Amino acid sequence: MTNNIKVERAKKNITQAELAKLINVSRQTINAMELGKYVPSTVLALRLAHVFEVEVSDIFALEESDWT
C-alpha cells in the first residue's frame, strides 16, 4: 500500500508530532506509516482523512502486490 501522508502534511504545514497529537498516536506511528512500515486501521485512516479534509482514497492506494 502506498500513501501520501507526507504530502498531505506538507500541504497543511504540520509536523509528524503535530499530526500524531491530532489523531492520538505517537510520532513514531506517523513515521512508520509514511515509510510504509505500518498500515493503519480503518479508524486511523478515517482520522487522517478528517484532519487532511480529503477522502481516504486520496491518502492511500493499493499496489498490485496487495491483490495477490
Side-chain angles (χ1 to χ4, degrees), residues 29-48:
T29 298
I30 301 299
N31 187 56
M33 284 191 290
E34 287 184 359
L35 295 174
K37 295 181 179 182
Y38 176 75
V39 177
S41 67
T42 304
V43 171
L44 189 50
L46 288 166
R47 286 184 197 162
L48 286 165

Side-chain angles (χ1 to χ4, degrees), residues 51-52 55 59 68:
V51 168
F52 294 141
E55 299 294 325
I59 304 170
T68 56

Side-chain angles (χ1 to χ4, degrees), residues 3-16:
N3 72 71
N4 296 318
I5 297 170
K6 190 172 185 176
V7 171
E8 294 297 331
R9 269 195 319 102
K11 288 179 186 177
K12 292 280 188 184
N13 195 32
I14 58 176
T15 66
Q16 286 183 342

Side-chain angles (χ1 to χ4, degrees), residues 18-68:
E18 291 167 333
L19 178 58
K21 188 173 183 179
L22 288 170
I23 63 170
N24 199 32
V25 298
S26 69
R27 185 205 55 81
Q28 291 84 353
T29 298
I30 301 299
N31 187 56
M33 284 191 290
E34 287 184 359
L35 295 174
K37 295 181 179 182
Y38 176 75
V39 177
S41 67
T42 304
V43 171
L44 189 50
L46 288 166
R47 286 184 197 162
L48 286 165
H50 178 76
V51 168
F52 294 141
E53 300 175 339
V54 298
E55 299 294 325
V56 171
S57 60
D58 293 331
I59 304 170
F60 298 99
L62 290 175
E63 296 177 310
E64 188 172 327
S65 61
D66 295 321
W67 290 97
T68 56

